[in-house]
Amino acid sequence: IQKMRLLGYDVDFLYCKDDFFSPISEAAIQEMRKLIGVEHFHFYNNLEIKTFSKYKRKLRNFIEIHNLSQQIVIPYSADELYDSTLGKRCDRLIKKNHYDVVWLEYIWLSRIFDDITDRKILKVIDTHDIMTKRYQQYLKLSQSPEFFYTTKRQEQKCLNRADVVIAIQNREERYFRTLTKKKTKVVTIGDCIEKNESKLIDDKSICFIGAANTFNVQGILWFLKEVFPIIQKRMPQVRLYIAGRVCDMLPDSDDYIKCGVVDHIQRVYEKTRIVINPVLQGTGLNIKSIEAIANMKPLVSTSVGVKGLGSE
C-alpha cells in the first residue's frame, strides 16, 4: 500500500477477518486501521464458512489426530472458504468509490471476481506461493499439512479468474504460465522491502526471525541440535536471539533469548551481528532472508533459505 501510494494511487484496504487459518487480535486490527487510515480501512468481520467446509476441516483434524496424513490428504477446493456476501460487499464498495483495480491477496477468495458487476475493473491476484500439492512439503517432514493446499486444476480455476497474476519469483511465474489462459497476464514483482543501513556491530550475536509455521520450527530445532552446540563450543560468549511467533513453539532455554513478537524488527537487527535462516523445507520466497539483506546484515542460510534470491 505504501508503494502504491508513493506512485500516486489512492488505496483502500478491505480486511476480511479469517479465524479459519490464523486468528488475529483486535489490537492488530486497530493497528492496521491506524496505519492505513480510518477512511481507507474497510472491515469484513462476519465471514461465514460453509457447513461442508467445517465438516472437511473436522475430517482433516481427525486425520491429523490419528496420524493418517501420510495416507490421506484432502486438498481444499477453489471456493471452499468463500462467502458470497463478501463478494456483494466488495461490489458495493466498487460502485461507491469507482475503483480501477481490485488487488486480491492469495487465491482462495478469487470467486470474488465473478461477483463483481463492473466488467471494466482490472482484477489482480497476488499469489505469494504455489498452492498446488503444497502439502507434499509437509509430508516430506512427516508433518500434517498446514494452511491452504489444493490441486493443479483448482489452482488453475482460481488464477484464470484474474486479468493479472503476480508471482513472487521467476520460477513460480513460469509455472503459473502453464496454468493460465492467454488473456491472463503473469508477471513477477518479488518483494518490496525498504533498505535499512544497520551498522555491522562487533558482537558475537546471532539472530533468527520467523513465524510459527512447521518449516521455521523444524529448521530452528535442527539448528539448535546440530549446529549451535558447535558454535557455542568454539565461541562460548555467543548469544542467539530468536524473534517472531516461532518463539511460542520453543521451550525456554538458557541457550537462547526469545524476543517474541516485536513492534520494530529493526531493533532486533541492530543488536545482532549475523542473521541465520536454517529452514530445510519450504515453499515460495523466504522473506526473512530478503529482510536480513535489506538490513545490511550477513546472512547464513541453508540452500532452501535462499531459494529464489539469485537470477532465477
Side-chain angles (χ1 to χ4, degrees), residues 69-80:
S69 299
Q70 295 291 329
Q71 293 80 34
I72 305 173
V73 175
I74 305 177
Y76 287 85
S77 60
D79 304 324
E80 184 173 330

Side-chain angles (χ1 to χ4, degrees), residues 293-308:
I293 296 169
N295 280 273
M296 309 294 283
K297 290 296 181 179
L299 172 69
V300 180
S301 174
T302 59
S303 58
V304 174
V306 293
K307 185 174 60 177

Side-chain angles (χ1 to χ4, degrees), residues 197-235:
E197 296 191 15
S198 302
K199 293 181 179 179
L200 190 60
I201 61 174
D202 185 15
D203 189 29
K204 296 179 175 62
S205 55
I206 300 171
C207 173
F208 175 70
I209 302 171
N213 63 56
T214 297
F215 302 135
N216 285 335
V217 174
Q218 188 253 6
I220 190 62
L221 289 176
W222 168 81
F223 176 83
L224 291 171
K225 180 181 178 182
E226 303 293 340
V227 182
F228 197 51
I230 300 172
I231 299 174
Q232 287 178 306
K233 187 175 181 179
R234 298 186 181 183
M235 195 182 300

